[in-house]
Amino acid sequence: MTAARAAASVINAPVTIDWDQLDALKYRDEREAVAALLASEPLSTAMRAQVQKEAAALVAKARKMDRRPGMVESFLQEFSLSTPEGLALMGLAEALLRTPDANTRNRLIAEKISAADWASHLGQSGSLLVNASTWGLMLTGRLIDVSGLEDASGTIKRLAARVGEPVVRAAVAQAVRVMGEQFVLGRSIHSAIARAAKHNLLCSFDMLGEGARTEADAANYEAAYAKAIAAIGKVATGPAGAHGISVKLSALSPRYEAIQETLVWAELYPRLKRLAEMAAKADINFTIDAEEADRLVLSLKLLERLAREPSLGTWRGLGLAVQAYQTRAMEVIRLLAALAKDSGRRLMVRLVKGAYWDTEIKRAQVGGRAGYPVFTTKPATDFSYLSAARALIEAHPYLYAQFATHNAHTLAATRAIAGSTPIEHQRLHGMGETLYAAATDMFGPLALRTYAPVGAHEDLLPYLVRRLLENGANTSFVYLLFDDDTPPEAVAADPISQVEAQPGPHPRIPLPRYIYGDRLNSLGVDFSITAERAPLAYMKGAGHAVVDATPADIAKAFTVAKAAQPTWDALGGAGRARILRAMADALEQHRGALMATAVHEAGKTWPDAMAEVREAADFCRYYALLAERHFTRAESLKGPAGETNSLELHGRGTFACISPWNFPLAIFTGQIAAALAAGNAVLAKPAEQTPRISAAAVKLFKQAGLPDEILHLVPGPGETVGAALITHPDLSGVAFTGGTDTAQAINRSLAARKGPLLPFIAETGGLNALFVDTTAQREQVIDDVILSAFGSAGQRCSSLRILFLPEETADSLIAGLKGAMDVLKVGDPADFATDIGPVIDFPAKAALDAHLVHLKSTARILKELKPAANMPLLFGPVMAEITLDQLPDKEVFGPILHVVRYKNDELEVAGRALAQKGYGLTMGIHSRLESFVERVRALVPAGNIYVNRSIIGAVVGVQPFGGEGLSGTGPKAGGPHALTRYSVERAVSVNIAAKGGDPALLNL
């Protein structure tokens, strides 16, 4: 059968591969994964010795060659990320080119350049573009001879002092652009192709830019890819011998996520198919780039559909990148080989080590994952690469192996494994030239392709930062290759030997569960895994119908609690901690039912419901830790000889805990756990809208071992139940989270009571703002604003209410935000694809409707999203532009974002106007300027300040949460001082000399 007939006979076959099975290995035990590597034996003992010998020779040859390392490698060698100068340059290059206004550019240059010790790098690099003449150029605008300077450091300092002069500013900006040229092959595909021809390069072109945030972004990226494919096709000679293109799926859809799979098939796949058909017609290599681990399975499903498309004919250029640092890389290659065999379409596979390692580690830790999707040690990743390389080569001719590496050992090993099997090597533009020149000298001609970024320097950020993080650390091969102090044998070390010597995970990277050391991290749900999210759809909620407490119920609860509290207090911090930890375990054991209740009772989306359970568990474990530290034994205080002095903490008595509907489990549990940890009994009043999940939590507390007498659920309206709690004579304190007006009413009621002065711990709302300057990165601002303003339907006390945008970039950011709003899904929270669910009740919706009417008559509505679903409590997100004198006086609790433009010289006026409103809960700042961050912080008081990230999602024990002014009393929930106002302090002084002297003194 001919190749064409074979392809035609199977391309129409149904999808046969269960890609979801890969997720069973996503968080596999790293020791198990390493054991599998050791069993794979990619190199025999003899081959290992030969490969290491060749690799060391490669390093030595590269160092001796006349051609020196390129500017990028020289930059990384001299200004590694372990130096302040390297970090300063990365920060400068990352932000300068996208900053439109001169004043901010000048401050950025001054801040980044003048703070570093450039003198220590004078003459240290062999590259003209990196050595002292370069930095002389940066600081003076002309090449200077620094070899004769006696006081180099003083000269640099004097030059830095002149950084405000126009010629100096222009020189710095030009130097950054020169550096950008080294990372980018061309600003356009045509200039890149011309430059590649000039330097005789075979390329895989990468169109620079972040992932799409809007449909317009996705359309623009498709057009850019299409234009590039058309240009490449004019000079193409087949997939292996001509330029190719690398495509990021995240650039083709703003919703490239596993939980949006339906949308991905409807919107992303048609774009991908159109581009693939163009590439097939041009007969070029079309590589789907690897991205985050959460997207792996979805990318493979898309790839399989493409591989079986009849419209692609017998084209052999379809491919993808596989990341060796993922612990499931071997299984990915096995399934790719099966796909190629079954579909009749050869696949080109670029094997990379992986560019998102630090991100994957952080995401797993933040998400409370069971493990990491990547190896935690570099030798294990290098070993995985070798095993994957053998699997790729053994899958020939179904898979065509493309090995992307700048590592001499990896290069030598892949050649040894391949033998006579044809393979392709790949390097990054600006890097690896000397290494591959040495390899050509040693081995003869190589099939070598350059991964070449194309685009404007303003779009360089993500690529630049990834390359610097990958290769700028002083343990990187790229860094060590030209470090003459490191022997070639050490640079070309055998990773298999290293793994054999240390087969376990990295000793300083604990599993996500254990990152805190002194307490467990809460377990999360990975919604990108079908097997984790599917059972939740059928989960029944927890809790039961709840009856409002009567005055008699409340009176009885106080009586019982008062009688039981002394015994509970006497149990001590360690005893209470055991029960709180058992409660945390119970929450996780029943998380499915609790999440379902949060979805159906409180209208939370599934990710918000998961966060609710995790935060509740975190509160229990963190307060258990504080109870052990501060309530187990008295603290000894220093004093004179002959006496002992100590301070001990005890519970106050019976606390009323009044919690809100927007965090019906997390805050409800957190308040109770704090009061219990300090030794108090509790009467807990949940919000009227969400009693079922609160009842479920109380039930779990008691199953965890809490005596019935210590915790009492008293549901009902605030006007009756809340009032009865606040005025009861046996009340010892109040913990409250809710509106500012309600807090002030409680405060007045407590002040009017006769008897002891009671502590009132209040967390209320805020006019939360985010300040953006012109150095901020567009995509990051869009992501964080959308999440902060509209996540949880804007029903968090920390939600973003006011966005301050600089005049110079406001239009661009607003356009991006409008486009990002367009792709949000407002609908049924039980649908995993829903981004924004309903508001809590009809009064809440009425208040939002009224404010929207007000805005339509007084402000400019920038965007109003109409919910498509037919649910009465849905309120679509709104973005409205207001003037500074229209700042709201109170928070509007829902998905309404107010945008205020400010001019560069009006920042102080804007900050003071906000501060005068009297709130101080959360605030965000997006800037690459430390001075801007400090200016805003000085202007606007806030209990929680977030820089270059979202302003929601405070983590217990990591970002203690609570405001000041009209936003709360403190102490912060989930912080080290959280239990102080739940307790009383008792100092005890004993004159031990009266009993015969001080033993400590007498035994000196």
Side-chain angles (χ1 to χ4, degrees):
M1 183 181 292
T2 67
R5 286 178 62 197
S9 68
V10 297
I11 282 176
N12 290 317
V15 174
T16 59
I17 296 176
D18 176 17
W19 297 104
D20 287 318
Q21 66 182 286
L22 286 170
D23 279 333
L25 299 173
K26 186 174 182 179
Y27 301 116
R28 68 190 300 193
D29 186 283
E30 189 169 353
R31 291 177 179 82
E32 174 190 311
V34 168
L37 292 178
L38 291 168
S40 69
E41 296 186 9
L43 296 169
S44 67
T45 303
M47 288 177 69
R48 285 169 61 178
Q50 180 63 28
V51 164
Q52 189 163 13
K53 181 179 178 181
E54 288 182 353
L58 262 179
V59 173
K61 181 175 282 292
R63 289 177 177 177
K64 292 177 181 177
M65 294 189 77
D66 290 337
R67 57 190 297 174
R68 295 303 298 162
M71 186 271 186
V72 174
E73 290 164 318
S74 297
F75 173 88
L76 296 172
Q77 177 73 20
E78 184 57 35
F79 297 101
S80 78
L81 294 186
S82 61
T83 67
E85 293 73 35
L87 291 170
L89 282 172
M90 185 175 80
L92 185 61
E94 184 264 306
L96 186 66
L97 295 176
R98 68 162 179 269
T99 304
D101 59 304
N103 287 336
T104 305
R105 284 199 302 270
N106 296 344
R107 287 198 298 269
L108 186 67
I109 292 169
E111 188 173 289
K112 299 297 183 186
I113 296 299
S114 59
D117 181 15
W118 304 108
S120 65
H121 298 271
L122 285 175
Q124 298 302 306
S125 175
S127 169
L128 179 65
L129 289 170
V130 179
N131 66 16
S133 295
T134 297
W135 307 123
L137 171 65
M138 289 183 69
L139 293 170
T140 68
R142 59 187 175 87
L143 283 169
I144 61 173
D145 180 9
V146 297
S147 59
L149 292 179
E150 295 182 4
D151 181 18
S153 179
T155 300
I156 291 291
K157 288 179 180 177
R158 287 191 293 275
L159 292 172
R162 295 172 49 204
V163 80
E165 297 181 14
V167 66
V168 178
R169 296 197 302 267
V172 174
Q174 180 58 31
V176 171
R177 288 187 174 88
V178 168
M179 190 170 73
E181 292 282 359
Q182 309 305 310
F183 284 93
V184 180
L185 189 63
R187 283 182 171 269
S188 69
I189 187 64
H190 297 291
S191 63
I193 290 174
R195 191 173 173 191
K198 179 180 178 181
H199 295 283
N200 196 29
L201 300 177
L202 177 67
C203 295
S204 181
F205 295 110
D206 168 38
M207 310 310 291
L208 279 176
E210 278 278 22
R213 295 307 189 272
T214 70
E215 283 297 329
D217 289 343
N220 289 338
Y221 279 121
E222 182 187 0
Y225 284 132
K227 182 178 180 181
I229 292 170
I232 296 167
K234 293 178 181 178
V235 293
T237 57
H243 297 312
I245 193 162
S246 297
V247 174
K248 289 190 291 289
L249 295 182
S250 61
L252 297 178
S253 170
R255 302 312 308 267
Y256 174 42
E257 308 160 44
I259 59 174
Q260 300 291 343
E261 186 169 338
T262 301
L263 199 63
V264 166
W265 287 116
E267 297 181 0
L268 188 158
Y269 184 74
R271 289 190 175 111
L272 181 63
K273 181 184 174 185
R274 287 192 292 270
L275 293 173
E277 288 171 342
M278 288 185 65
K281 184 177 180 180
D283 198 23
I284 65 172
N285 181 197
F286 180 88
T287 300
I288 297 174
D289 257 332
E291 299 187 64
E292 297 87 350
D294 286 355
R295 291 166 160 166
L296 173 64
V297 168
L298 184 55
S299 71
L300 293 169
K301 292 177 180 178
L302 292 164
L303 175 77
E304 179 174 8
R305 179 78 67 87
L306 270 185
R308 299 183 186 278
E309 285 288 354
S311 61
L312 300 184
T314 58
W315 175 49
R316 291 160 58 83
L318 179 62
L320 81 161
V322 173
Q323 298 159 321
Y325 67 17
Q326 287 207 44
T327 55
R328 48 189 171 164
M330 290 288 288
E331 186 66 8
V332 170
I333 291 173
R334 184 186 72 79
L335 292 177
L336 287 174
L339 171 61
K341 291 177 185 177
D342 188 56
S343 68
R345 190 181 304 285
R346 186 206 60 183
L347 299 174
M348 303 178 80
V349 180
R350 174 194 296 148
L351 186 63
V352 301
K353 291 185 180 174
Y356 300 87
W357 181 83
D358 55 318
T359 299
E360 298 291 2
I361 295 294
K362 179 177 180 179
R363 285 167 70 108
Q365 292 178 350
V366 170
R369 305 288 190 245
Y372 296 107
V374 295
F375 290 102
T376 58
T377 69
K378 188 178 185 303
T381 294
D382 291 341
F383 191 165
S384 174
Y385 193 101
L386 299 183
S387 295
R390 176 167 289 282
L392 262 179
I393 290 165
E394 289 176 348
H396 177 80
Y398 302 102
L399 302 181
Y400 177 73
Q402 300 171 303
F403 296 117
T405 183
H406 301 126
N407 184 300
H409 184 279
T410 306
L411 193 162
T414 53
R415 291 194 58 77
I417 295 168
S420 60
T421 302
I423 62 172
E424 177 180 291
H425 297 281
Q426 295 193 2
R427 67 174 181 85
L428 295 170
H429 169 60
M431 300 173 66
E433 295 168 82
T434 306
L435 176 66
Y436 279 98
T440 300
D441 199 46
M442 277 185 63
F443 303 123
L446 307 174
L448 178 63
R449 190 182 298 267
T450 299
Y451 186 88
V454 177
H457 298 157
E458 292 83 349
D459 297 324
L460 182 60
L461 161 68
Y463 182 83
L464 171 66
V465 172
R466 289 258 61 84
R467 298 292 81 78
L468 292 176
L469 289 176
E470 279 181 277
N471 302 300
N474 55 16
T475 56
S476 162
F477 177 87
V478 172
Y479 178 88
L480 295 173
L481 177 59
F482 298 104
D483 179 13
D484 292 329
D485 292 334
T486 305
E489 294 75 16
V491 179
D494 175 19
I496 301 176
S497 299
Q498 293 173 311
V499 171
E500 288 172 337
Q502 174 56 48
H506 197 293
R508 288 186 289 175
I509 303 179
L511 287 172
R513 184 73 159 161
Y514 305 107
I515 58 172
Y516 298 127
D518 51 12
R519 63 186 170 96
L520 294 178
N521 186 13
S522 55
L523 291 173
V525 176
D526 186 344
F527 290 103
S528 72
I529 298 178
T530 302
E532 289 202 27
R533 67 177 184 268
L536 294 172
Y538 305 99
M539 189 70 64
K540 293 182 179 180
H544 50 78
V546 177
V547 178
D548 288 352
T550 66
D553 294 332
I554 295 170
K556 181 180 179 182
F558 268 112
T559 300
V560 173
K562 182 177 181 180
Q565 186 270 334
T567 302
W568 176 249
D569 185 44
L571 182 61
R576 297 193 292 271
R578 284 193 294 272
I579 293 174
L580 289 175
R581 290 195 179 99
M583 172 59 178
D585 295 342
L587 287 165
E588 292 179 340
Q589 183 182 350
H590 295 86
R591 69 178 179 184
L594 292 168
M595 288 168 62
T597 307
V599 169
H600 298 297
E601 183 181 47
K604 287 185 172 284
T605 60
W606 285 106
D608 282 347
M610 175 192 66
E612 188 87 12
V613 179
R614 292 193 65 202
E615 186 174 359
D618 283 337
F619 272 130
C620 290
R621 292 193 176 107
Y622 186 71
Y623 291 149
L625 183 69
L626 295 187
E628 284 181 331
R629 285 180 179 172
H630 304 302
F631 291 82
T632 297
R633 62 187 63 85
E635 178 184 358
S636 295
L637 305 175
K638 291 183 179 181
E643 64 184 48
T644 61
N645 296 282
S646 63
L647 183 69
E648 54 190 43
L649 300 178
H650 292 275
R652 287 180 171 272
T654 301
F655 254 77
C657 292
I658 303 174
S659 57
W661 51 260
N662 62 331
F663 287 94
L665 180 65
I667 293 179
F668 179 82
T669 303
Q671 289 178 344
I672 294 170
L676 294 176
N680 299 287
V682 176
L683 271 65
K685 188 196 109 47
E688 296 122 84
Q689 298 92 335
T690 54
R692 284 181 54 221
I693 196 167
S694 305
V698 170
K699 182 179 179 180
L700 290 179
F701 264 116
K702 295 180 180 180
Q703 289 178 359
L706 184 68
D708 289 349
E709 300 83 2
I710 295 300
L711 175 59
H712 303 265
L713 183 68
V714 286
E719 297 82 2
T720 56
V721 173
L725 292 174
I726 300 305
T727 57
H728 198 281
D730 290 335
L731 181 69
S732 303
V734 177
F736 169 80
T737 300
T740 302
D741 291 343
T742 305
Q744 290 173 331
I746 294 173
N747 194 41
R748 288 191 295 269
S749 180
L750 291 175
R753 287 170 53 103
K754 294 182 179 179
L757 300 176
L758 303 185
F760 178 40
I761 306 164
E763 180 196 310
T764 56
L767 283 179
N768 308 312
L770 192 153
F771 288 82
V772 178
D773 78 352
T774 53
T775 69
Q777 204 256 332
R778 175 181 178 267
E779 288 78 10
Q780 189 176 28
V781 171
I782 292 171
D783 290 347
D784 292 341
V785 168
I786 293 292
L787 179 62
S788 300
F790 306 133
S792 307
Q795 296 178 123
R796 292 175 180 249
C797 46
S798 57
S799 292
L800 176 62
R801 310 300 179 196
I802 305 169
L803 175 63
F804 288 91
L805 295 179
E807 193 75 51
E808 296 85 352
T809 57
D811 287 340
S812 172
L813 288 169
I814 288 170
L817 289 167
K818 289 165 68 174
M821 290 173 68
D822 276 329
V823 299
L824 292 173
K825 181 175 179 181
V826 184
D828 184 355
D831 182 349
F832 288 101
T834 293
D835 300 297
I836 301 173
V839 296
I840 190 63
D841 56 23
F842 287 104
K845 185 170 186 299
L848 293 171
D849 287 334
H851 188 66
L852 179 56
V853 170
H854 168 73
L855 288 174
K856 286 181 175 180
S857 65
T858 61
R860 183 161 72 100
I861 303 299
L862 300 171
K863 185 73 179 179
E864 179 185 358
L865 202 61
K866 301 286 188 180
N870 185 24
M871 295 178 67
L873 291 178
L874 291 179
F875 183 90
V878 172
M879 180 168 60
E881 184 170 345
I882 62 173
T883 60
L884 192 58
D885 59 0
Q886 292 176 312
L887 288 179
D889 294 319
K890 294 184 178 182
E891 69 174 339
V892 179
F893 212 68
I896 296 179
L897 177 65
H898 307 83
V899 177
V900 179
R901 297 175 190 249
Y902 73 93
K903 294 180 180 177
N904 195 45
D905 58 357
E906 295 175 347
L907 177 64
E908 279 71 18
V909 175
R912 283 195 294 268
L914 178 64
Q916 286 171 2
K917 299 296 180 179
Y919 292 89
L921 190 53
T922 63
M923 178 173 67
I925 307 170
H926 269 256
S927 174
R928 297 302 192 261
L929 277 170
E930 291 292 333
S931 57
F932 182 83
V933 173
E934 294 307 314
R935 285 170 68 198
V936 175
R937 288 190 60 185
L939 288 167
V940 185
N944 286 69
I945 298 169
Y946 301 95
V947 179
N948 295 327
R949 52 151 290 173
S950 74
I951 70 170
I952 64 172
V955 177
V956 173
V958 180
Q959 294 115 11
F961 188 78
E964 54 194 77
L966 292 174
S967 296
T969 63
K972 289 180 175 292
H977 311 300
L979 304 187
T980 53
R981 297 196 70 208
Y982 288 93
S983 61
V984 293
E985 300 174 295
R986 293 172 184 159
V988 180
S989 183
V990 179
N991 178 10
I992 58 174
K995 298 188 294 183
D998 186 341
L1001 186 62
L1002 296 175
N1003 289 324
L1004 288 176

